[in-house]
Amino acid sequence: MKSREPDPDLDDLDRAVVQALMVDGRAPFSRIAEVLGVSDQTVIRRYRRLRTAGVLRVLGLPVGHRVGLYESWLRIQCTPDAAVAVADALARRPDIAWVTLVAGGTEIHCITRARTRQDRDALLLQKLPGTRRVTGISAYSILRMYMGGPRRWGGVDVLTAEQLAALERPAPPLDPGGRIELDEAELAMLAVLATDGRAGYPELARAAGLSESTARRRLDQLRDSGAIYYDIEVDPALFGFRAQAVLLATVAPADLAAVGAALNSHPEVPFAAAITGAANLVAVVICKDNDALYEYLTERIGALPQVRQVELITVIRTVKRAGMLMDGLRLVDPPGAGRPEV
């Protein structure tokens, strides 16, 4: 097994650059530099160093419900000797994100984003059941996302309120209308943005077979309509958050929206969604340590009377985030992406 490199050192300026990109992943370096009070070249050097080291990645991703993706949250049980191999195989699939090992290393959690119902059913009904040493599968449709996607995680608080306001872009419409059908040119641009959300317009134009001005206009339209967003991949441990868990809650249907809104205001929660199933709300919780996780459970979740029952499952290892595999605290491109084993 390859030994893990030492944890990268992030100073205050590194963390400020990361948070600025959380606010707007495609913000011009000149604007970030102006807000942070440093030179353009300083920001460019910091970003390139972090990206080259595999510490930081900006990704351009579709908003599932806007472009018609079939999104589900999966719990997959495996024999103890197979969980790591199955998780690694799942992580290589482009339609799978947020792959984690939990529950003593015998259970895998992940999110599927299938382009068609047939693709989703092939994974759930054929690929996974036929995978050796998979002993159980539970699939839950994601009904409504309260936190995550275009809504950025609020756990990092390096920048001031004034700096955040200076970087904010106008939010996409709350009720943007119906589904957006992506054409081949837009899908080609998204394929590039899925590995580098800051890819230049010349590269995007070449991939899509468009002029630079058309590529820029089409991408701006997709972003302004709420069809795509820019996500930042960075390990929370680099900011001192070393306890992560999955929270499953049972909430009365009439109270789901209220509990979702409450979780949306919790800086400990980077992702929360209503799902199908008896436990109808799932959230990811990130805290400094187990003491902080205990306090969150007893004081924050415990203060919500609408929450009837809670299951808290410790995350042992993150195998893949939104689009990149994890190697220690570093992000790496998935080998063999597009040629999955499961």
Side-chain angles (χ1 to χ4, degrees):
M1 179 181 294
K2 184 172 66 174
S3 61
R4 199 182 81 179
E5 299 179 44
D7 295 355
D9 293 325
L10 271 66
D11 62 20
D12 288 343
L13 181 55
D14 290 329
R15 292 182 173 89
V17 170
V18 171
Q19 190 178 8
L21 291 168
M22 286 180 176
V23 179
D24 182 357
R26 279 188 76 89
F29 288 128
S30 58
R31 182 152 63 95
I32 295 175
E34 180 181 1
V35 170
L36 300 185
V38 296
S39 70
D40 298 8
Q41 287 304 312
T42 296
V43 172
I44 292 170
R45 283 197 303 270
R46 294 300 181 108
Y47 170 76
R48 286 178 176 169
R49 180 176 64 82
L50 294 172
R51 192 178 189 280
T52 300
V55 173
L56 168 71
R57 194 74 66 100
V58 180
L59 306 179
L61 301 170
V63 178
H65 70 276
R66 291 288 281 134
V67 301
L69 298 183
Y70 292 86
E71 296 182 305
S72 302
W73 176 62
L74 304 186
R75 298 181 73 173
I76 303 164
Q77 288 79 37
C78 302
T79 57
D81 61 329
V84 172
V86 173
D88 287 343
L90 283 167
R92 287 193 291 272
R93 292 182 60 105
D95 58 348
I96 299 285
W98 300 106
V99 181
T100 56
L101 284 168
V102 303
T106 59
E107 183 170 298
I108 302 164
H109 291 182
C110 63
I111 290 178
T112 68
R113 293 168 174 162
R115 287 184 59 189
T116 68
R117 190 188 303 272
Q118 291 76 17
D119 289 344
R120 180 199 63 187
D121 292 348
L123 174 65
L124 297 181
L125 301 179
Q126 299 171 25
K127 295 281 188 180
L128 281 172
T131 301
R132 189 182 178 199
R133 294 179 180 152
V134 169
T135 59
I137 306 166
S138 300
Y140 308 90
S141 294
I142 295 176
L143 303 176
R144 179 67 56 84
M145 192 180 297
Y146 302 118
M147 186 63 192
R151 299 177 180 88
R152 70 175 187 274
W153 177 44
V156 179
D157 59 354
V158 178
L159 301 183
T160 66
E162 292 76 14
Q163 289 173 317
L164 292 173
L167 291 164
E168 289 279 7
R169 281 176 52 90
L174 292 176
D175 186 15
R179 171 177 167 177
I180 294 176
E181 295 286 348
L182 300 176
D183 63 21
E184 291 304 316
E186 291 162 344
L187 289 171
M189 288 194 291
L190 274 176
V192 174
L193 294 171
T195 58
D196 182 6
R198 294 191 64 90
Y201 290 107
E203 180 182 356
L204 294 170
R206 286 193 300 271
L210 303 171
S211 68
E212 276 189 51
S213 60
T214 301
R216 181 189 295 267
R217 175 175 54 81
R218 295 276 288 275
L219 200 61
D220 287 344
Q221 289 173 344
L222 289 174
R223 190 177 190 185
D224 292 341
S225 66
I228 66 171
Y229 70 101
Y230 294 94
D231 202 2
I232 303 301
E233 294 204 316
V234 64
D235 196 306
L238 295 172
F239 290 84
F241 298 95
R242 298 187 176 275
Q244 181 173 335
V246 175
L247 183 146
L248 290 169
T250 303
V251 181
D255 296 325
L256 261 177
V259 174
L263 294 185
N264 188 35
S265 68
H266 292 181
E268 299 89 349
V269 178
F271 172 82
I275 58 173
T276 55
N280 52 2
L281 188 143
V282 61
V284 174
V285 181
I286 296 177
C287 296
K288 295 285 187 180
D289 51 33
N290 282 339
D291 284 341
L293 183 60
Y294 171 81
E295 291 174 2
Y296 178 76
L297 177 64
T298 57
E299 298 176 13
R300 304 294 294 280
I301 296 299
L304 298 175
Q306 305 96 329
V307 176
R308 298 177 174 178
Q309 190 172 349
V310 171
E311 180 182 5
L312 197 64
I313 308 167
T314 300
V315 172
I316 298 173
R317 174 185 163 194
T318 298
V319 181
K320 183 182 184 181
R321 295 190 182 278
M324 299 290 113
L325 303 183
M326 293 295 297
D327 178 17
L329 295 182
R330 300 173 189 277
L331 299 155
V332 294
D333 292 302
R339 298 185 299 277
E341 299 174 14
V342 296

